[in-house]
Amino acid sequence: MIEVFFSTYISSTVRFLFLLAPFFVVTMFLALTRGLPAAEKTSIIRRSTVSAFILGLILFFAGPLLFSAIGITLNSFRIGAGSLLFLTAISLVTSGTRNHATGLPDEDRDDIAVVPLAIPVMIGPATIGAILVYGAELSKVTEVVGGLLGLVSSLLILAVLLHLSGYLEKVLGKTGLNIMSKISGLILSAMAAEIVLTGIAGFIATT
């Protein structure tokens, strides 16, 4: 039981962390908060992380209910979500940005913590689909707890990276952050392929 918990926790933490595309989020955070005082940046990080967690928590448990309500199977959703995630991975690899969040808001916003930072920069369409799939795959209590703690850990790691964003920009520069985003995209493409292939195999097995 403990082995299952730790295995699920570690794999979930890694999965969710790469789904969040942390270095892309860091790049967008730097652009969105340029010139803001440190206290306000800290507040934005806290609120955006909490917002992303609330949405992630809802999605984590919503998968089975959603699939049942609209009459599709988990395997079918795996194929669709994996394909969407693959498109996001391609965008990260080719340009270092997510295809759904490539620009900054045109208008001034009173609060950027929820929109656009939490949604869709942290959690975009492809991430939503992947979280629905991963949440639906976990059935045992130990797996569910490990998965939830993995989600929390990944968001905490992202929050730490955002707090260190100024140092990361100095050390890596814009080019370095872009390269790290592309590496994240490469890993995301492998995750997307796994989701799609699992869905295809499961679909074939049930026909």
Side-chain angles (χ1 to χ4, degrees):
M1 183 178 295
I2 296 179
E3 291 181 357
V4 173
F5 167 77
F6 279 109
S7 176
T8 304
Y9 168 69
I10 294 173
S11 63
S12 296
T13 300
V14 174
R15 283 180 173 182
F16 287 131
L17 184 60
F18 280 105
L19 281 174
L20 293 171
F23 292 100
F24 168 69
V25 176
V26 167
T27 300
M28 293 297 288
F29 175 77
L30 288 168
L32 288 166
T33 61
R34 190 79 65 186
L36 295 180
E40 188 170 351
K41 289 183 179 181
T42 299
S43 176
I44 290 173
I45 293 172
R46 182 178 64 254
R47 286 180 284 121
S48 61
T49 303
V50 171
S51 299
F53 171 71
I54 292 173
L55 177 58
L57 184 64
I58 294 172
L59 294 170
F60 190 84
F61 290 106
L65 295 175
L66 178 63
F67 303 154
S68 176
I70 60 181
I72 63 173
T73 64
L74 174 58
N75 289 320
S76 297
F77 199 84
R78 279 185 178 125
I79 297 172
S83 300
L84 186 59
L85 185 61
F86 190 73
L87 292 176
T88 296
I90 291 175
S91 179
L92 280 170
V93 170
T94 56
S95 62
T97 60
R98 280 178 164 169
N99 52 4
H100 62 268
T102 55
L104 302 178
D106 294 329
E107 72 278 7
D108 292 331
R109 294 183 182 271
D110 294 329
D111 186 7
I112 62 171
V114 179
V115 179
L117 192 56
I119 307 166
V121 174
M122 287 184 179
I123 299 184
T127 308
I128 289 173
I131 293 176
L132 286 169
V133 169
Y134 286 142
E137 288 178 339
L138 305 177
S139 56
K140 299 179 180 178
V141 175
T142 51
E143 292 177 340
V144 172
V145 174
L148 282 176
L149 289 179
L151 175 61
V152 172
S153 296
S154 65
L155 286 169
L156 289 176
I157 293 172
L158 178 59
V160 171
L161 290 176
L162 291 178
H163 278 292
L164 298 175
S165 58
Y167 297 101
L168 290 175
E169 186 179 33
K170 290 179 181 179
V171 173
L172 299 176
K174 292 183 179 180
T175 301
L177 288 172
N178 188 266
I179 292 173
M180 295 302 295
S181 291
K182 292 185 177 185
I183 294 174
S184 298
L186 182 61
I187 296 173
L188 268 184
S189 67
M191 292 170 59
E194 182 183 16
I195 294 174
V196 172
L197 292 175
T198 301
I200 293 174
F203 182 79
I204 292 175
T206 55
T207 57

